[in-house]
Structures are given as C-alpha cells and as structure tokens.
Amino acid sequence: MEYELYADVWFLMNFMMDSMALFIAGKLMKQRIRPGRILLGSFVGTSASMLLFFQLKDYNWYQICVHFLVNPLMVYLCYHSKSKKEFLSQWSVTYLAFILLGGVLEWGMANGTETSHFILWLLGSVLFLMIAGRFLKNLKREKETKYDLLLVTREGNISVKGFYDTGNLLVDPLVNRPVHIIKKKVLWEQIQKEQIPLRMIPFHSLGRESGLLEAVTLEGMYIMKEEHPLYLKKPVFGIADEKLFQDDECDVILNAKSMES
C-alpha cells in the first residue's frame, strides 16, 4: 500500500501543532511567552523533522532523532533554559504536549475523523494538559512547604520532617527570635538527657486564645532545601501536644520567618 505525502500540508500541520504545544507548555510552566521564539522553535523543529524524514530510511532512527534531538532543540530555542534542571522540566511538560497533540492529529488523519470530532478531541487534549499542569503546580507547592530537618543538640542530631507555615508568626520576646513548634515526644527525651533548660513564652491563637508555652533553644537546625541546606543558629522551639499537628507526617511547624534567616 502506498501513501501520497503532501509536504506543504504535512509541514503546516506539524508547524501548527508544535507551536500550540510550545505555547500550552509555556502557559502551564508560567514561562514568559515570546511569539517570535515559539515560531522560531516550531519552524526549526518542523524543518528538521521533515529533512530527517526524507533522509533517513529507517523509521526507528527517525523517531529517535525527532524525540531526543529535534524536540529538545525546539524547547531550548523557545525557552532558553538557564540550567539543566529547568531544561528537563520544560522538556518533560512540552514533550507531554507533543505526544497528546501529535497523537490526536495522527488519530484524526488515520481514521478520517470529521472536523467537528477532531476539534473536540483537540480541545479535550488541551483541557487534559491544563488539568495536568494544575496538578503539577499543586504538587510542587506542597513539596515546597515540607522539608527534611536536622536538629542539632549538644550530644547529637535529630532528623525530623517540617512544615513551613506562613501563619506561624510566634516570636520569643526574650531573645527576639522566631519560634518553631515541635511535637513534645520528638524532643522530650533529648531535653531530659541533656538537661536543656525550659522557659515559658506567651502565645496567642495556639489551640486557644492565649497562654504560656514551654520553649527550648537548641544549638542549630538545618532546613534541607533543594538548592542548598539553610542553617539556623540557636533556633527556638515551642513544645506542643500532637493534637496541634494536623499533618501526621510532620513533627515541626516552621516559623514563617524561617527562610529569611
């Protein structure tokens, strides 16, 4: 069986799909949209794909070159990634858009789908990408609020999970330092072992209107951020009951001013 290939139609359809995929991916990743770069990336990518299609006799090699050379080149030309991590993130989202939109195009052409049905499938793919983007955004936001922590005491270290809470603005009036809230069971044994002195600090809206909270000062704390660990010297911790913690995965509620240190 032989097929007729209209190069101009093939080029135009792929150029439009590539442009749409780059635009949608840019929106999902909150990238600055520059029409000139999108058109440049799409033109170079479509031209390279067409050239490879006519030059390579092995279709498998054609697919490999398109997926691992042409598509990454389009992404770089469009977004000008500043780091490997940023590039991989941009490539993965754009690649998903390429697969969905390209799949819809091939399916419609192979099955002779009516224009109205084809448009519905295309809109469905775009909607799916938008939902996936929202999910990834929420996942990233949740990841950015939870951290691995290393509490430093005189006789050892304690590894715990921490939750960054912008609503925790408690300050120790004695030393004028932000107060982090920790589960009593996590630190109590170490407090007794090292005889770390306890003191009382006033608080408001911590499960009740006002009161006094037991607090201690440790030697230090590392917040394990992805870029680099953040070290806080002489952090203050308020000792609280577990019922205060809504998330069982976390043992510490970090103060809102933690990242300002």
Side-chain angles (χ1 to χ4, degrees):
M1 183 180 293
E2 296 182 355
Y3 295 92
E4 291 185 1
L5 175 64
Y6 296 94
D8 54 346
V9 176
W10 187 87
F11 184 92
L12 181 60
M13 291 297 294
N14 279 273
F15 177 77
M16 291 175 59
M17 284 294 180
D18 289 343
S19 299
M20 190 180 300
L22 290 170
F23 176 80
I24 292 174
K27 283 292 185 181
L28 292 177
M29 296 181 294
K30 304 296 183 182
Q31 299 288 321
R32 182 180 178 183
I33 303 298
R34 295 184 177 181
R37 287 187 178 179
I38 290 179
L39 294 176
L40 174 63
S42 301
F43 179 81
V44 171
T46 305
S47 300
S49 297
M50 178 172 283
L51 179 64
L52 290 170
F53 182 81
F54 287 115
Q55 293 295 323
L56 296 177
K57 296 181 180 180
D58 190 329
Y59 186 72
N60 291 327
W61 275 110
Y62 166 75
Q63 290 284 349
I64 291 173
C65 290
V66 168
H67 290 303
F68 296 102
L69 292 178
V70 177
N71 288 349
L73 177 61
M74 276 196 292
V75 172
Y76 180 77
L77 290 175
C78 181
Y79 303 120
H80 283 203
S81 313
K82 296 180 181 179
S83 65
K84 290 182 180 179
K85 183 178 179 181
E86 183 182 25
F87 170 74
L88 290 175
S89 176
Q90 293 167 346
W91 183 26
S92 61
V93 176
T94 308
Y95 191 73
L96 176 61
F98 283 147
I99 292 176
L100 282 176
L101 296 178
V104 170
L105 175 62
E106 290 187 11
W107 179 83
M109 294 178 66
N111 293 277
T113 306
E114 295 180 3
T115 303
S116 59
H117 292 170
F118 176 74
I119 292 175
L120 287 176
W121 274 96
L122 186 60
L123 291 176
S125 299
V126 173
L127 179 61
F128 175 81
L129 286 170
M130 299 299 290
I131 294 174
R134 181 63 61 87
F135 173 77
L136 291 173
K137 181 180 178 181
N138 292 337
L139 191 64
K140 181 181 179 182
R141 183 182 301 165
E142 180 180 348
K143 184 178 179 182
E144 289 177 346
T145 59
K146 293 183 179 180
Y147 297 93
D148 290 322
L149 308 176
L150 186 65
L151 310 183
V152 181
T153 68
R154 291 195 303 270
E155 297 185 10
N157 301 326
I158 304 173
S159 297
V160 293
K161 286 278 188 181
F163 176 77
Y164 178 63
D165 184 7
T166 56
N168 177 16
L169 300 172
L170 186 61
V171 175
D172 183 352
L174 181 64
V175 294
N176 196 30
R177 286 200 181 103
V179 179
H180 315 282
I181 310 301
I182 190 169
K183 289 180 180 178
K184 185 174 183 178
K185 69 174 185 178
V186 174
L187 202 55
W188 195 250
E189 182 179 345
Q190 202 70 20
I191 291 174
Q192 293 180 321
K193 180 181 178 181
E194 299 185 20
Q195 296 184 345
I196 303 175
L198 289 164
R199 62 181 183 277
M200 308 300 291
I201 59 174
F203 70 87
H204 298 279
S205 300
L206 196 64
R208 46 183 172 173
E209 291 186 1
S210 62
L212 294 174
L213 180 69
E214 288 183 314
V216 296
T217 300
L218 299 184
E219 296 299 312
M221 174 173 65
Y222 287 96
I223 302 176
M224 302 303 180
K225 301 177 67 176
E226 286 189 3
E227 300 83 5
H228 56 81
L230 175 64
Y231 179 71
L232 303 182
K233 186 178 181 180
K234 298 293 183 180
V236 179
F237 288 88
I239 312 298
D241 295 329
E242 290 189 38
K243 62 182 180 181
L244 180 66
F245 292 76
Q246 297 179 355
D247 190 345
D248 291 334
E249 295 181 3
C250 296
D251 302 307
V252 175
I253 300 176
L254 293 169
N255 193 280
K257 296 183 179 180
S258 301
M259 305 306 174
E260 298 178 6
S261 301

